[in-house]
């Protein structure tokens, strides 16, 4: 009863209820929450602290900043969900908050896209700054079992490298990306490799333009650290996976290279295996295999997950 009372008390205050509502629509930093609610940083920080202590919000530390979201596990997660569902979003103050939230999201997306536009042609060079690509690709080929696939989807395909890698062992491959310049580079690469069985198209990883259960293999290679909502992206990938299909995720393990956020539009400074496993679980997938490729300063994680109950 004490924990419930504490959580109820924490929520029973206008600013904190607004924070809870806004954080239910996205993961946000203190600075962003300050902009959205129009209140001072110390005040917002104090309210956030109380909400976190009560288990209604979760704080995810990344380098020098922290991201706040509504709790999805722990004793107060259920209460947080109920409160968020009960909140009258037509309320004028909340409606304004949510409008400002949308503006923050648009600004973030624009800065990421501007980065990609500026770097489309050089992307292949930029990623070679991290763990040797050949090593990651070997692990991926190994993890996807060396078997032939019918249909493959590469989410956030960029220059189409994953399609190049798997193109010879699939019947049909498609890569989707939000960025037209990236797609232009990918098309040129596929053409160069004469991969007629592969194509790329404009698409958003949060709204994949495919019916459920369409693919035997889905790859998400170095994309999640740009994602506003990685869990939602994994959920959408799981939706289009056939019951016996496999999802391969590749991304950085947690690191503190803050400049990647500022200079390269990274939204997340890596992911822990626990975090990945939890998101997969929520999407109805089970992580079957994972590899850690130690690098300096960046290490890379490679994960294979399959729909729970699907054929092994
Ligand atoms: C770092 S690149 C990785 C490209 C490729 N997977 C690779 O490893 O070479 C990240 C890519 O994700 C794409 N991207 C970011 N947000 C996206 C979204 N919401 N939907 C689809 N693609 C997205 C970017 O445009 C970019 O091409």
């Amino acid at each position: 009863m004490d924990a419930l009372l504490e959580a109820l008390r924490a929520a029973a205050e206008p600013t904190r209820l607004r924070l809870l509502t806004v954080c239910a629509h996205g993961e946000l930093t203190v600075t962003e929450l300050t902009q959205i609610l129009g209140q001072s940083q110390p005040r917002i920080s104090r309210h956030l602290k109380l909400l976190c202590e009560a288990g209604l919000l979760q704080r995810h530390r990344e380098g020098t900043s922290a991201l706040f979201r509504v709790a999805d596990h722990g004793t107060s997660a259920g209460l947080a969900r109920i409160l968020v569902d009960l909140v009258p979003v037509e309320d004028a103050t909340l409606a304004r908050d949510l409008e400002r939230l949308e503006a923050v999201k648009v600004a973030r997306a624009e800065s990421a896209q501007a980065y990609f536009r500026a770097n489309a042609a050089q992307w292949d060079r930029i990623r070679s700054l991290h763990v040797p690509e050949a090593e990651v690709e070997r692990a991926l080929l190994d993890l996807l079992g060396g078997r032939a696939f019918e249909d493959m989807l590469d989410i956030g395909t960029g220059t189409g490298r994953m399609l190049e890698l798997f193109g010879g062992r699939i019947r049909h491959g498609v890569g989707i990306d939000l960025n037209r310049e990236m797609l232009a580079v990918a098309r040129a690469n596929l053409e160069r490799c004469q991969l007629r069985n592969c194509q790329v198209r404009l698409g958003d990883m949060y709204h994949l333009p495919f019916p459920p259960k369409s693919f035997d293999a889905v790859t998400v290679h170095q994309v999640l650290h740009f994602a506003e909502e990685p869990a939602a992206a994994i959920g959408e990938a799981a939706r289009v996976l056939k019951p016996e299909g496999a999802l391969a995720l590749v991304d950085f393990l947690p690191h503190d290279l803050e400049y990647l956020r500022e200079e390269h539009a990274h939204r997340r400074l890596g992911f822990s295996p626990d975090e990945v496993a939890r998101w997969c679980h929520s999407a109805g997938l089970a992580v079957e295999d994972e590899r850690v490729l130690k690098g300096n300063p960046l290490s890379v994680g490679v994960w294979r997950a399959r729909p729970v109950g699907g054929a092994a």
Side-chain angles (χ1 to χ4, degrees):
M1 212 163 106
D2 285 346
L4 179 59
L5 280 169
E6 189 199 338
L8 287 168
R9 267 196 296 271
E13 197 278 338
T15 299
R16 293 202 285 274
L17 202 54
R18 286 169 69 191
L19 285 170
L20 198 61
T21 309
V22 171
C23 289
H25 288 79
E27 267 190 324
L28 295 153
T29 63
V30 181
T31 310
E32 289 165 341
L33 288 165
T34 305
Q35 285 165 12
I36 293 168
L37 270 76
Q39 297 187 9
S40 72
Q41 184 142 341
R43 199 179 143 93
I44 293 287
S45 296
R46 188 162 40 82
H47 286 306
L48 287 171
K49 185 165 178 282
L50 278 171
L51 287 167
C52 289
E53 280 167 3
L56 292 168
L57 286 188
Q58 275 159 11
R59 184 172 184 272
H60 175 75
R61 173 121 230 123
E62 278 197 352
T64 56
S65 59
L67 294 164
F68 294 87
R69 61 173 175 233
V70 163
D72 58 10
H73 58 276
T75 47
S76 301
L79 176 65
R81 259 302 131 209
I82 292 170
L83 291 172
V84 165
D85 286 346
L86 286 175
V87 156
V89 282
E90 65 282 4
D91 174 274
T93 307
L94 289 176
R96 229 178 10 254
D97 288 348
L98 294 177
E99 258 175 49
R100 289 200 204 107
L101 168 68
E102 276 319 301
V104 163
K105 284 188 175 177
V106 167
R108 278 181 187 173
E110 272 168 8
S111 94
Q113 288 309 311
Y115 162 74
F116 289 126
R117 267 197 296 279
N119 288 283
Q122 297 105 310
W123 178 252
D124 279 339
R125 192 172 51 78
I126 288 176
R127 67 184 183 160
S128 73
L129 298 173
H130 313 303
V131 164
E133 208 54 48
E135 211 182 306
V136 177
E137 293 183 354
R138 254 197 316 277
L140 247 180
L141 286 170
D142 190 32
L143 216 68
L144 283 183
R147 65 188 178 103
F149 295 113
E150 287 273 295
D151 296 299
M152 168 183 163
L153 168 67
D154 183 34
I155 296 177
T157 196
T159 59
R161 177 62 198 155
M162 290 298 107
L163 294 174
E164 264 184 59
L165 187 65
F166 287 97
R169 37 174 92 205
I170 54 179
R171 185 181 64 85
H172 180 244
V174 56
I176 66 115
D177 204 286
L178 261 189
N179 189 289
R180 286 173 203 278
E181 280 85 353
M182 283 293 205
L183 292 177
V185 179
R187 287 196 180 99
N189 284 342
L190 294 178
E191 191 63 36
R192 179 178 46 77
C193 302
Q194 302 200 332
L195 283 171
R196 307 263 179 264
N197 58 336
C198 295
Q199 56 181 225
V200 292
R201 57 164 92 157
L202 197 65
D204 186 353
M205 66 179 157
Y206 297 114
H207 306 282
L208 295 172
F210 308 106
K213 303 180 186 172
S214 300
F215 298 97
D216 305 286
V218 176
T219 49
V220 190
H221 182 262
Q222 298 292 19
V223 180
L224 281 185
H225 58 257
F226 295 106
E228 201 57 57
E229 297 172 55
I234 291 177
E236 184 61 351
R239 182 184 67 78
V240 299
L241 204 55
K242 292 182 190 171
E244 68 284 5
L247 169 68
L249 297 171
V250 180
D251 222 297
F252 299 123
L253 292 168
H255 62 84
D256 56 8
L257 299 187
E258 194 72 38
Y259 78 92
L260 290 180
R261 197 203 298 279
E262 278 127 35
E263 293 169 26
H264 295 279
H266 287 201
R267 183 78 190 120
R268 301 294 200 118
L269 300 185
F271 303 96
S272 71
D274 279 354
E275 201 167 25
V276 171
R278 211 169 48 237
W279 288 333
C280 285
H281 180 75
S282 301
L285 305 173
V287 172
E288 277 188 344
D289 203 346
E290 71 184 33
R291 310 277 162 90
V292 169
L293 306 172
K294 288 223 181 294
N296 189 8
L298 292 176
S299 295
V300 170
V302 186
W303 292 270
R304 184 185 70 217
R306 283 185 192 277
V308 174

